[in-house]
Amino acid sequence: MKKKEKPIPLESNAQIIEQLRKEFPHGHGAFLTLCVEEAKLHSDKNHDYAHGGDPMGHFQRVADILKMYQGFPYDTPSGVALIYALKQIDAIFWGKAKGIKHKVEGLSSRYRDVSVYAKLAQIQDQEGK
């Protein structure tokens, strides 16, 4: 069984940043802080999207679905909105299949995103875009 991940304490982040500053002393002072914050966000989102599976699996799953639809209008606003909805649907399916307790966006947020993207695609189609 995988050990439950704990948030990195703020003082640990400071230690990580200080060590990085020693290794990379040149550049803006806030740059490394942003890098560490992004690493945390990447880790949390990967927890939600992959949960121990392939860290790039989400992209492959969505790509595999899209391969089935030759002629799909990928380069239109409604097509992009539907792809964004599909991304959220995949995250819902994966989360339910793996029993993921999400760290960043929960199921409720994803359901709302799907609903919003579907409405935006419908508006784009109605407006002929």
Side-chain angles (χ1 to χ4, degrees):
M1 188 168 180
K2 196 172 184 179
K3 186 172 78 169
K4 186 174 179 177
E5 296 178 28
K6 295 179 182 175
I8 298 173
L10 197 51
E11 57 274 4
S12 293
N13 280 350
Q15 291 170 337
I16 292 167
I17 293 164
E18 184 57 36
Q19 185 62 39
L20 287 170
R21 283 207 174 97
K22 289 176 185 173
E23 185 68 26
F24 308 108
H26 309 292
H28 193 280
F31 184 84
L32 294 173
T33 300
L34 292 173
C35 290
V36 170
E37 289 171 358
E38 285 181 350
K40 170 83 168 92
L41 179 62
H42 169 71
S43 178
D44 288 348
K45 285 196 171 235
N46 198 265
H47 169 273
D48 292 357
Y49 279 110
H51 197 65
D54 179 358
M56 300 297 213
H58 175 65
F59 297 105
Q60 188 61 54
R61 291 189 305 272
V62 172
D64 288 344
I65 293 168
L66 291 172
K67 285 179 194 173
M68 295 187 294
Y69 300 100
Q70 299 299 317
F72 181 83
Y74 301 101
D75 59 348
T76 65
S78 66
V80 172
L82 291 170
I83 292 168
Y84 283 14
L86 178 58
K87 175 181 100 60
Q88 296 298 335
I89 290 169
D90 173 74
I92 293 166
F93 277 39
W94 188 257
K96 285 183 162 284
K98 300 296 180 182
I100 298 170
K101 182 175 180 189
H102 292 90
K103 292 184 173 197
V104 181
E105 292 180 67
L107 292 177
S108 180
S109 174
R110 293 189 187 284
Y111 287 133
R112 287 190 305 264
D113 284 346
V114 170
S115 178
V116 168
Y117 288 132
K119 287 174 182 66
L120 293 173
Q122 184 177 5
I123 292 166
Q124 296 289 340
D125 285 346
Q126 289 171 347
E127 291 180 353
K129 296 181 179 176

